[in-house]
Amino acid sequence: QVQLVESGGGLVQAGGSLRLSCAASGRTISTYNMGWFRQAPGKEREFVASITWSRGETTYADSVKGRFTISRDNAKNTMYLQMNSLKPEDTAVYYCAASGLIWRLRAGAGEFWGQGTQVTVSS
């Protein structure tokens, strides 16, 4: 089992930045593909970004490409999401997830999920 805990959310003005962290415990995440998802009020959860365990290959949703950066530090068993140039439409609860299979992760079928952290961007 892998326990995931997100942190770093908060209230920020449009154009600002936040850095989310996803700390893992229970098992090492070094062999897990990791990803970020978000869910805004009244909307379905959507994929934000992912990073593979083997080569660190990253994938982003078009809506965040060029503004968000996903990274991981396997030594610290932690994944990050650097969010720059934030927009009000980025407001959501952000979740981290882990999966042994990248296609499952990107499809939103991660094996392990965190409890989420709220990000609110004011205009």
Side-chain angles (χ1 to χ4, degrees), residues 40-111:
K43 295 187 177 181
E44 293 188 354
R45 186 175 62 196
E46 64 175 358
F47 168 82
V48 175
S50 65
I51 184 166
T52 63
W53 73 268
S54 55
R55 297 182 179 181
E57 295 171 332
T58 58
T59 302
Y60 297 93
D62 288 342
S63 58
V64 307
K65 204 170 292 184
R67 300 187 298 123
F68 290 11
T69 302
I70 187 173
S71 62
R72 62 192 298 165
D73 186 337
N74 289 337
K76 295 183 178 180
N77 228 26
T78 302
M79 176 182 63
Y80 304 97
L81 185 68
Q82 178 66 44
M83 306 187 294
N84 298 328
S85 302
L86 283 161
K87 304 175 181 179
E89 50 264 44
D90 294 319
T91 295
V93 177
Y94 283 70
Y95 300 90
C96 64
S99 177
L101 298 173
I102 188 62
W103 65 266
R104 283 182 57 91
L105 180 67
R106 292 174 183 161
E111 293 152 34

Side-chain angles (χ1 to χ4, degrees), residues 106-120:
R106 292 174 183 161
E111 293 152 34
F112 306 103
W113 291 85
Q115 83 291 347
T117 185
Q118 176 70 47
V119 171
T120 303

